[in-house]
Amino acid sequence: MPTSDLTTLQKLLITPQKIIITTHHKPDGDAMGSSLAMYHYLKQKGHQVHLITPTDYPNFLHWMPGNDDVIIYTESISKAHELLDESDLIFCLDFNALSRINDLGHYIKQVTAKKIMIDHHLEPEGFENYRLWDIRACATAELVYQFITEIMDDNRLINEIIATCLYVGIISDSGSFRFPNTRPVVHRIAADLMEKGAKNGEIHQLLFENSTEQRLRFLGFCLHEKLEIKPNLHTALITVSKNEIEAYKITTGDTEGIVNFALSIKDIKMAAFIVERSDMVKLSLRSIGDVPVNEICSKYFNGGGHKNAAGGNSTESLERTIQKFHSILPEFSAYLQ
Ligand code: 5GP
Ligand code: MN
C-alpha cells in the first residue's frame, strides 16, 4: 500500500542514494519543470541522479537548465535499463499510472527500487511506495516546492536554477496564473521563486515567444481552415490529419496550446483538438466551468486528466474518432447549455 507518510523517505534521503527521476510520455512544461527542479535539488543533496523521459519533448523546453543531461528512454533503452536496475529510488513526477509512460512503465514495474509518486491528477493507480499527491495543486511543480520546503525543510537550497524550473512548471499548468487551479498560495510560491532568481518575463518569452514560422502558419491554418463550431452545444473542435501535420513539418510540442484558441471563443464551453498521429489519434480536450472533460476522455478515449483539461487517444481512424466525438456530445448536453 502506498503511504503518504514521507518521514521514512526523508530519513532514506539522509544518505546518498542512486536515484532515477521520470515523468510522463511527451513531457510538457510541468513534467520537465518539476523533474529538472527535483534533479538539481537531489544532486545538490549529494545523491547520484539521472532523469529519464519516456519520449522526446518540445523544442521550446530545450533551453531549461539540465536539458543536456536528460536521457530519452526511446533513444537509450539499454543504458536506461542498466540505471534502473541499480537504482535505489525512482521519483515518478506528474503522472500516477504506469500506462502513462509506455514501455518504460513495464520496466519500472518490475525493478526493486522504491517508487515515489508526486502528482496532481485524479485517480492514482497505486503502483508507488510513497506518495505526495494533491489534486488541488496547480502543478506538480507546486508539490515539488512543497517537498523541498516542507518535507525536506530545505527552502534555502532553492537556487536560481531550481526556482526557474519550478516557475516553468507552475506557469505551464496554471496558464500563467489564469486557470481556476491558481490558488492564492500559488502566487506566494511564485513570489518566493522570483525572489530566488526566477525571471518572470524572460521565462515567458523563452516558452511562448519562441515559435518557428512553420508553427505559426500551422496555427493560422488550424484557425482559418479547420475550426468547427457547434453553437447549440457551445463546443469548438479542430481536427488535423497526418498529411496536414507532415505538410507543415509539425514536430513534438508544435500542437500544444492550439486547443486553447478554440476555447477562447465567446460562449464556447468545451474545445477539442483531434490530431492523427502515426500510431493513433490523439485528443486534447479543454473546458470551462462544470464540463467534465476528464470523464469524456476516460469513458470514451482511453484517457483522463483534470476536469477542465484532459486527453486521450483512439486506435480508430481519424474520421471515425471525429464521428464518435460528435456522437457522444448529446450525453453531456446538460453541461453544454
Ligand atoms: P494534453 O491535452 O495537453 O495532452 O493533456 C491535458 C491533460 O490531460 C494533462 O493533465 C494530461 O496529463 C492529461 N492527459 C493527456 N493525455 C492523456 C492520456 O492519454 N491519458 C490520461 N490518463 N491522461 C491524459
Ligand atoms: Mn502537471
Side-chain angles (χ1 to χ4, degrees):
M1 248 324 256
T3 173
S4 309
D5 174 15
L6 296 173
T7 45
T8 324
L9 175 64
Q10 187 199 8
K11 282 184 196 134
L12 266 177
L13 289 171
I14 292 171
T15 50
Q17 305 285 326
K18 289 188 180 132
I19 299 178
I20 301 291
I21 299 167
T22 191
T23 186
H24 62 75
H25 167 83
K26 296 281 174 195
D28 54 14
D30 185 31
M32 291 313 293
S34 54
S35 298
L36 284 166
M38 187 64 99
Y39 173 77
H40 293 292
Y41 167 68
L42 292 172
K43 274 186 85 139
Q44 220 186 126
K45 295 284 280 182
H47 301 290
Q48 194 189 98
V49 195
H50 293 278
L51 168 52
I52 302 176
T53 58
T55 61
D56 63 353
Y57 47 94
N59 291 336
F60 65 79
L61 298 173
H62 289 183
W63 61 272
M64 291 183 67
N67 177 68
D68 294 346
D69 300 340
V70 175
I71 298 166
I72 298 173
Y73 181 67
T74 44
E75 293 169 13
S76 310
I77 295 180
S78 49
K79 182 179 176 192
H81 286 179
E82 217 171 281
L83 291 168
L84 285 161
D85 286 341
E86 59 189 35
S87 65
D88 304 309
L89 296 170
I90 304 175
F91 279 78
C92 299
L93 304 190
D94 204 32
F95 70 96
N96 63 29
L98 289 176
S99 58
R100 286 281 284 142
I101 59 171
N102 312 351
D103 291 345
L104 178 56
H106 298 299
Y107 203 82
I108 286 186
K109 201 172 195 164
Q110 52 85 45
V111 297
T112 51
K114 293 253 186 297
K115 289 130 203 157
I116 301 103
M117 181 268 277
I118 301 183
D119 180 58
H120 66 141
H121 293 94
L122 296 164
E123 294 169 11
E125 173 184 82
F127 67 86
E128 71 282 3
N129 304 94
Y130 304 100
R131 66 167 57 169
L132 175 55
W133 175 68
D134 191 345
I135 56 167
R136 288 170 309 167
C138 75
T140 296
E142 182 187 333
L143 297 173
V144 170
Y145 177 89
Q146 188 189 343
F147 179 79
I148 298 174
T149 58
E150 291 175 27
I151 293 156
M152 302 301 290
D153 196 19
D154 273 336
N155 189 301
R156 75 206 147 75
L157 292 187
I158 299 184
N159 55 19
E160 182 176 335
I161 286 180
I162 296 175
T164 300
C165 296
L166 292 175
Y167 203 85
V168 167
I170 287 174
I171 61 174
S172 299
D173 267 23
S174 70
S176 297
F177 310 108
R178 71 189 200 281
F179 296 161
N181 58 11
T182 310
R183 290 140 36 252
V185 67
V186 176
H187 285 286
R188 281 187 210 108
I189 294 171
D192 188 32
L193 297 176
M194 282 179 79
E195 279 166 0
K196 291 180 162 70
K199 297 184 177 64
N200 172 39
E202 206 173 284
I203 293 172
H204 272 89
Q205 203 168 11
L206 285 161
L207 290 177
F208 306 119
E209 291 163 20
N210 227 345
S211 192
T212 58
E213 180 186 337
Q214 279 301 99
R215 191 215 174 241
L216 214 63
R217 292 195 186 280
F218 177 70
L219 172 64
F221 167 70
C222 289
L223 299 182
H224 191 248
E225 309 278 334
K226 310 294 304 195
L227 177 67
E228 187 186 340
I229 311 235
K230 298 181 75 77
N232 296 341
L233 288 165
H234 303 278
T235 297
L237 69 153
I238 295 172
T239 61
V240 188
S241 73
K242 207 165 80 181
N243 288 344
E244 290 160 342
I245 289 283
E246 280 163 12
Y248 280 88
K249 300 188 176 59
I250 288 304
T251 59
T252 301
D254 283 344
T255 54
E256 190 141 331
I258 293 180
V259 65
N260 292 316
F261 286 92
L263 191 67
S264 72
I265 301 166
K266 188 174 178 297
D267 295 332
I268 289 298
K269 292 188 176 166
M270 175 164 75
F273 182 78
I274 306 179
V275 55
E276 185 183 21
R277 296 234 178 106
S278 50
D279 50 344
M280 60 166 152
V281 175
K282 166 86 182 121
L283 297 96
S284 274
L285 268 59
R286 299 290 185 272
S287 68
I288 291 171
D290 291 336
V291 188
V293 287
N294 55 334
E295 268 178 43
I296 298 179
C297 288
S298 61
K299 191 165 174 191
Y300 293 105
F301 299 110
N302 318 308
H306 311 275
K307 190 168 82 178
N308 298 128
N313 60 73
S314 154
T315 48
E316 293 189 284
S317 67
L318 178 63
E319 287 67 30
R320 286 191 72 91
T321 307
I322 297 169
Q323 264 172 19
K324 183 168 169 182
F325 180 77
H326 284 291
S327 72
I328 60 164
L329 290 180
E331 183 184 330
F332 297 90
S333 62
Y335 295 110
L336 296 168
Q337 291 313 308

